[in-house]
C-alpha cells in the first residue's frame, strides 16, 4: 500500500479499511513480550546502537511536566532475571502464600531499560512500557485517524509498503 507522511509520521493514504488486531489483555501481553525479545535481540546485535535506537523511534530526550528540563538518554541497561517462584496475598492472613518453583519451571527473562537523566532526576523507562505506549494505542480502540503524535508506521498483516 502507498504511504504518505503526515506531521513527520508515515501514514496510510487510504480510508483505514484494514483490520487492526484487537487482542485480549493476556494476548497483548504475550505480543509485547515477543516484540520486546525481538527488540533486545536486535539491539544487542546492532553494530551501531544509536542508529538502532533512532530507527526504533526511541527519543533521546523526554520532556518533563511543569516546564522542568528535559531528561536525556544516557544508558540502555539490560538485566536478566530468573523467576524462581511466586508470592501472593493469602486470604485472611498477613503472610504471603509462597510457591517456589521446581527447577524445570524456573523461567528466565531479559529486560531492557532506557535510562534518562537531568540535573534533578533520573528515570528508567522499561522497554515494554515504551512498546506499549508506541504500539498499544492500536489495541485499545483509539481513533486510527489521529495523526498527531502517533506513529502509524507499524506493520499490518497482509499489507506491504
Amino acid at each position: 500500500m502507498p504511504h504518505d507522511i503526515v506531521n513527520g509520521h508515515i501514514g496510510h493514504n487510504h480510508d483505514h479499511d484494514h483490520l487492526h488486531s484487537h487482542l485480549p489483555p493476556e494476548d497483548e501481553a504475550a505480543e509485547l513480550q515477543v516484540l520486546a525479545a525481538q527488540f533486545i535481540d536486535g539491539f544487542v546485535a546492532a553494530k551501531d546502537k544509536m542508529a538502532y535506537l533512532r530507527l526504533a523511534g526511541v527519543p533521546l530526550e523526554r520532556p518533563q511536566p511543569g516546564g522542568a528540563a528535559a531528561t536525556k538518554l544516557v544508558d540502555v541497561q539490560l538485566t536478566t532475571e530468573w523467576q524462581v517462584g511466586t508470592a501472593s496475598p493469602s486470604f485472611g492472613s498477613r503472610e504471603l502464600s509462597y510457591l517456589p518453583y521446581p527447577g524445570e519451571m524456573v523461567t528466565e527473562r531479559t529486560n531492557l531499560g532506557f535510562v534518562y537523566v537531568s540535573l534533578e532526576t533520573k528515570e528508567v523507562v522499561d522497554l515494554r512500557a515504551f512498546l506499549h505506549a508506541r504500539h498499544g494505542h492500536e489495541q485499545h480502540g483509539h481513533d486510527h485517524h489521529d495523526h498527531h503524535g502517533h506513529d502509524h508506521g507499524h506493520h499490518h498483516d497482509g499489507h506491504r509498503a
Side-chain angles (χ1 to χ4, degrees), residues 31 39 44 46 52 56 58 60-62 69 73 90 112-114 126:
E31 182 181 37
F39 185 99
V44 169
Y52 187 87
V58 175
L60 300 181
E61 296 188 6
R62 288 176 49 89
L73 180 64
S90 294
L112 184 143
F114 304 107
D126 181 75

Side-chain angles (χ1 to χ4, degrees), residues 1-156:
M1 278 279 162
H3 290 81
D4 56 351
I5 297 178
V6 178
N7 294 331
H9 298 288
I10 297 173
H12 300 283
N13 61 359
H14 55 87
D15 293 326
H16 293 282
D17 56 356
H18 51 274
L19 297 174
H20 291 280
S21 61
H22 295 277
L23 300 172
E26 60 277 6
D27 289 349
E28 182 180 330
E31 182 181 37
L32 275 178
Q33 195 59 40
V34 168
L35 290 173
Q38 291 301 309
F39 185 99
I40 291 167
D41 289 348
F43 180 77
V44 169
K47 286 184 174 39
D48 186 334
K49 307 279 193 238
M50 288 302 288
Y52 187 87
L53 294 175
R54 282 202 241 11
L55 284 169
V58 175
L60 300 181
E61 296 188 6
R62 288 176 49 89
Q64 296 299 298
T71 54
K72 317 296 190 216
L73 180 64
V74 294
D75 283 314
V76 176
Q77 63 185 23
L78 282 174
T79 56
T80 302
E81 299 166 352
W82 288 267
Q83 185 173 3
V84 297
T86 63
S88 57
S90 294
F91 183 73
S93 170
R94 305 248 336 128
E95 286 290 317
L96 289 176
S97 173
Y98 176 58
L99 298 170
Y101 288 162
E104 66 274 4
M105 286 184 63
V106 171
T107 56
E108 175 184 320
R109 65 181 177 261
T110 301
N111 296 313
L112 184 143
F114 304 107
V115 181
Y116 291 86
V117 298
S118 72
L119 286 176
E120 293 84 28
T121 189
K122 173 183 175 180
E123 62 179 333
V124 178
V125 178
D126 181 75
L127 174 60
R128 284 174 300 238
F130 166 76
L131 291 172
H132 179 75
R134 192 159 166 84
H135 298 283
H137 68 276
E138 281 301 313
Q139 290 142 10
H140 295 292
H142 294 287
D143 184 353
H144 297 301
H145 297 278
D146 176 22
H147 292 288
H148 304 288
H150 290 289
D151 178 3
H152 288 271
H154 48 270
H155 298 284
H156 297 285

